[in-house]
């Protein structure tokens, strides 16, 4: 066989050679969603029991102490108390992976493991959304979130029709919190507005590392947690571009866990695939209303 014949028989990319090449696919699955839950990691979680987290709040200490003469009997006073209940609610995400898909994809990645992680993140996102926006009146299956539970007396409203964020407004909301605030929760856009205010006054934008290894900005020594679930399109009077900011003392605000986040494989019903649930039973607990405050009506 001549060299020319051998050359003609050689495979090349233009003809059949390309069919024999194994394509190289990056094994890292790229997500088009935001995976970031520092708020969930840093809000305290406490084990609970029963159907709800039940506690008592003292609303009044009574008339208070008074000056008396040496022969005068003091007037008896008593405090006022009110019981409060925070019912546990269930968040669940059901997943299914077919047998064939798992077999076909095993050379690239563990599809079932990826679905487990995907489902876990869905539950965590549903939880954070409810922590901010939960409303049992609108959806009885939800627990009430920060927006619903914060009393009106613990809210500073920026204006009838909203107003731009100022440091005075934020400080007023901080002062309204009579605990020791250790968490500020706001949207990304509100955080950018705050940064602009600080830079305009030539103040440093400090950061600190919080639980989970997240590095976050601080204001007056209080870490700021940004949440994608705080809307920047809220209505305040005639304005429709308002947002709110929450200030928490986490000694009085926590997540009660009846059932921590778990995975349960369901009974095999078919050879075609397997199903599993990811779930938790939780409630947002407000132990002391005066240790929470909200700045509402901030235009962004």
């Amino acid at each position: 066989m001549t060299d020319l014949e051998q050359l003609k028989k050689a495979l090349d990319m233009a003809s059949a050679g390309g069919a024999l090449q194994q394509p190289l696919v990056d094994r890292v699955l790229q997500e088009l969603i935001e995976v970031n839950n520092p708020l969930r990691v840093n809000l305290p979680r406490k084990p609970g029991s029963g159907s709800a987290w039940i506690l008592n709040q003292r609303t009044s200490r009574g008339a208070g102490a008074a000056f008396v003469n040496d022969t005068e009997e003091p007037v008896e006073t008593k405090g006022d108390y009110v019981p409060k209940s925070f019912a546990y609610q269930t968040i669940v995400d059901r997943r299914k992976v077919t047998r064939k898909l798992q077999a076909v994809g095993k050379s690239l990645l563990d599809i079932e493991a990826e679905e487990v992680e995907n489902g876990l993140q869905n539950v965590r996102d549903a939880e954070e959304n409810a922590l901010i926006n939960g409303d049992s009146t609108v959806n009885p299956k939800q627990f009430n979130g920060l927006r619903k539970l914060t009393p009106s007396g613990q809210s500073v409203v920026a204006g009838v029709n909203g107003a731009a964020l100022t440091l005075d407004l934020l400080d007023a909301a901080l002062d309204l919190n009579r605990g020791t605030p250790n968490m500020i929760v706001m949207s990304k856009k509100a955080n950018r507005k705050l940064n602009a205010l600080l830079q305009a006054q030539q103040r440093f934008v400090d950061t600190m590392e919080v639980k989970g290894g997240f590095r976050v900005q601080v204001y007056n020594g209080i870490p700021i947690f940004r949440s994608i679930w705080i809307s920047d399109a809220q209505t305040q009077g005639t304005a429709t571009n308002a947002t709110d900011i929450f200030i928490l003392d986490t000694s009085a605000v926590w997540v009660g866990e009846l059932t921590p986040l778990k995975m349960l494989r369901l009974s095999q019903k078919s050879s075609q695939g397997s199903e599993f649930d990811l779930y938790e039973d939780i409630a947002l607990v407000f132990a002391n209303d005066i240790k929470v405050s909200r700045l509402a009506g901030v235009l962004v």
Side-chain angles (χ1 to χ4, degrees):
M1 186 181 295
T2 65
D3 290 341
L4 180 60
E5 289 174 326
Q6 289 180 337
L7 184 61
K8 287 180 178 180
K9 289 179 177 293
L11 291 173
D12 59 26
M13 289 295 295
S15 55
L20 300 181
Q21 283 198 159
Q22 177 66 35
L24 180 61
V25 181
D26 193 329
R27 290 175 180 265
V28 179
L29 185 65
Q30 300 299 321
E31 300 239 28
L32 294 179
I33 58 174
E34 180 167 354
V35 182
N36 190 15
N37 299 100
L39 176 60
R40 183 187 191 277
V41 174
N42 285 271
L43 194 61
R45 307 179 80 84
K46 300 182 181 182
S49 61
S51 61
W53 192 293
I54 301 172
L55 52 81
N56 291 314
Q57 291 183 340
R58 181 165 54 203
T59 58
S60 170
R61 297 192 184 120
F67 291 94
V68 297
N69 296 321
D70 58 346
T71 59
E72 183 183 357
E73 289 295 323
V75 177
E76 293 179 353
T77 63
K78 65 180 183 65
D80 294 322
Y81 303 85
V82 59
K84 297 196 76 172
S85 175
F86 303 89
Y88 298 111
Q89 302 292 0
T90 301
I91 303 174
V92 63
D93 188 59
R94 177 164 294 179
R95 296 269 149 176
K96 181 176 182 178
V97 179
T98 65
R99 172 195 55 76
K100 186 175 181 181
L101 179 62
Q102 180 73 354
V104 169
K106 66 182 179 180
S107 62
L108 178 62
L109 48 78
D110 187 334
I111 293 174
E112 186 177 75
E114 292 293 337
E115 280 302 288
V116 170
E117 178 56 34
N118 197 25
L120 288 171
Q121 188 58 41
N122 274 353
V123 173
R124 291 191 291 256
D125 279 349
E127 176 190 312
E128 185 171 322
N129 185 8
L131 289 175
I132 304 295
N133 304 303
D135 190 333
S136 61
T137 302
V138 176
N139 182 359
K141 299 175 186 178
Q142 283 186 332
F143 53 81
N144 288 324
L146 292 174
R147 186 168 289 120
K148 186 71 179 291
L149 289 176
T150 304
S152 58
Q154 288 298 114
S155 296
V156 174
V157 181
V160 175
N161 296 314
L165 178 64
T166 66
L167 298 184
D168 284 343
L169 280 172
L170 185 54
D171 290 341
L174 283 168
D175 291 343
L176 193 58
N177 187 314
R178 281 168 276 179
T180 305
N182 58 356
M183 180 177 283
I184 299 174
V185 188
M186 63 176 64
S187 70
K188 291 182 176 181
K189 200 167 184 180
N191 194 194
R192 289 196 297 273
K193 298 288 185 180
L194 176 59
N195 286 341
L197 287 173
L198 294 173
Q199 291 167 6
Q201 296 190 14
Q202 296 183 338
R203 292 172 60 174
F204 291 108
V205 180
D206 295 325
T207 62
M208 67 181 293
E209 186 171 310
V210 295
K211 186 178 177 182
F214 298 99
R215 180 159 287 277
V216 299
Q217 183 185 334
V218 299
Y219 178 74
N220 281 357
I222 305 171
I224 296 172
F225 295 86
R226 304 188 305 179
S227 175
I228 62 173
W229 302 108
I230 296 183
S231 172
D232 294 322
Q234 298 177 46
T235 299
Q236 178 66 37
T238 58
T240 57
N241 61 327
T243 190
D244 43 18
I245 297 171
F246 298 93
I247 297 104
L248 313 178
D249 176 349
T250 58
S251 70
V253 183
W254 63 79
V255 174
E257 289 186 320
L258 180 64
T259 307
L261 185 54
K262 289 185 177 182
M263 170 185 168
L264 176 67
R265 290 188 179 277
L266 304 182
S267 298
Q268 191 84 22
K269 297 183 295 185
S270 166
S271 63
Q272 291 294 80
S274 59
E275 293 179 305
F276 51 89
D277 284 350
L278 300 129
Y279 61 92
E280 62 181 3
D281 302 312
I282 61 171
L284 179 62
V285 179
F286 265 39
N288 192 329
D289 291 348
I290 66 173
K291 293 186 178 182
V292 179
S293 57
R294 173 190 176 202
L295 174 57
V298 175
L299 300 185
V300 291

